[in-house]
Amino acid sequence: MPSDAPPHSPTSHDARSLTDARLLAPQGPYGDFADRLLASCLVKDPWIDGAPRFHPAPLVLAPALRDRLYDAASRLGAAFDALVALVAAEPALLDDFFGLTPWQKLMVLGSDAWWHGFARVDLFVCEDGRLQACEINADTPSGQVEATLLGALFAPEHPALEDPNADYPERLWRMMTRAFQARTGRPGAPTRIGIVFPSDLPEDITLVRLYQRWFQERGAQVVLGSPFNLGVADDGAVTLLGRPVELVFRHYKTDWWAEREPVWADEPPYADPDPIADQLALLIAAEREGRVAVVNPFGALLPQDKRALALFWEHLDRFAPEVQATVRALIPETRRLDAVGRERLSAERERWVLKAAWGCEGDDVLVGPFMTQEAWDKALRLALEGPWVAQRFFRVAPVRSDADADAGALWLPNLGVYLIAGAPSGMLVRLTSPRTVTDTRALVAPVLVGAPTGAFDEAP
């Protein structure tokens, strides 16, 4: 959105619908669809707080839109690569710009500018036709269970359409093999893999089990454990639960490995604020010595930090022309909160969104146009200096469901493109109703590519 453009609600009467995407009508009751999901043994609950978690019919994208999304994600991946290279060349930015903690800095500096294995870029089509990316999920991107399962369920019912997630497991494995070879100097694929995840949290256990299945199908022995189960054998091999591993597949967020600090002035300190120091140090040392490969690399912390988006905008002239063009075209203006100024943000509430550096799934995301002035100003007073960015608000083009065309029901699609080794490799689509923030209540929709019956007619 241009800096002088007035804000709008996505429910405004002049909203332009997304005409190169079509949300098909469900073919039966949601309960029947939920039974199919449960039968897969990959989805443990098709409902959340009693409401559906999924849209039980595909969003079909025109090939041209898929190509635009994939091109944008590729360009953004290259831009973040340039950002990581800039920080590697000027590590003082870790203190002067990002204000990272000591253990966060160790993760970045110890990664030798390796940050990417796989990621998800969340893209939106605006009402004026532009694409905008609000962030990149570079650390422990999720949603693969839903994306791959839904594609496998619906693709056979629509043989003329393409499942963009069909090749995801094989692409992920090829990337892991290349990372293993590059980091250890050994030939072939890894045969002993440790998946490190927060074993005390149940939310992602189905994703962890899916990873385990994929890796075992490709001949690897897989052990599951938490960071606290890491160790070193007498011969120097990294171990998980006492078993040697050649590759650590990290599904444990970088900000959880490091010091944990509140972002609100009235927020109590974390009960477990200390870094996982011993295990983090042993993994970084082992990888630098070629004894293990870590995927995703710990350097993913840097692009995951939303202040990276602000670095693009506040130091745009330090990037190559092609990166500058990508930033201007695809990333909404983003600056550190205190670089914009709280007084200005108060006066321009309807133009801005506040985001915490490590927030995810809608946590610590405040959308100015959807808040009262009183609540917005209170948030500005309580937001601690440092871990916040302000990002320009933009209007998302809604898509209409075939089932609700007469009623005029709208959905706002978040089109997440997976990147594996920098290449577009699948999609996760989440739908929200207008005036909401993407969060755990968003409906996950199947996504297929092609021209359904009726093509892409102009929405009424």
Side-chain angles (χ1 to χ4, degrees), residues 20-28 33 36 54-62 146-147 149-159 161-165 399-403 411 413 415 429-431 443-450 452 456:
D20 46 3
R22 182 172 168 189
L23 189 59
L24 302 187
Q27 297 303 300
F33 172 69
R36 296 176 66 191
F54 298 89
H55 187 276
L59 178 71
V60 182
L61 304 183
E146 295 83 354
L149 172 61
L150 294 176
L153 284 178
F154 282 94
E157 300 173 7
H158 301 272
L161 303 179
E162 171 194 344
D163 174 10
N165 295 301
V399 64
R400 299 176 187 272
S401 168
D402 281 4
W411 294 96
L415 305 165
V429 171
R430 289 167 293 170
L431 305 172
L443 294 184
V444 179
V447 57
L448 298 173
V449 178
F456 295 96

Side-chain angles (χ1 to χ4, degrees), residues 95-161:
D95 291 304
D96 301 340
F97 189 91
F98 287 93
L100 296 186
T101 66
W103 285 93
Q104 288 173 334
K105 287 192 292 184
L106 177 64
M107 279 186 268
V108 175
L109 296 173
S111 67
D112 298 320
W114 288 65
W115 68 275
H116 179 55
F118 63 110
R120 193 187 71 241
V121 181
D122 288 342
L123 291 161
F124 299 85
V125 182
C126 297
E127 288 189 354
D128 59 8
R130 292 175 306 144
L131 295 181
Q132 293 283 270
C134 60
E135 64 184 61
I136 184 171
N137 294 280
D139 194 3
T140 57
S142 59
Q144 292 89 337
V145 170
E146 295 83 354
T148 59
L149 172 61
L150 294 176
L153 284 178
F154 282 94
E157 300 173 7
H158 301 272
L161 303 179

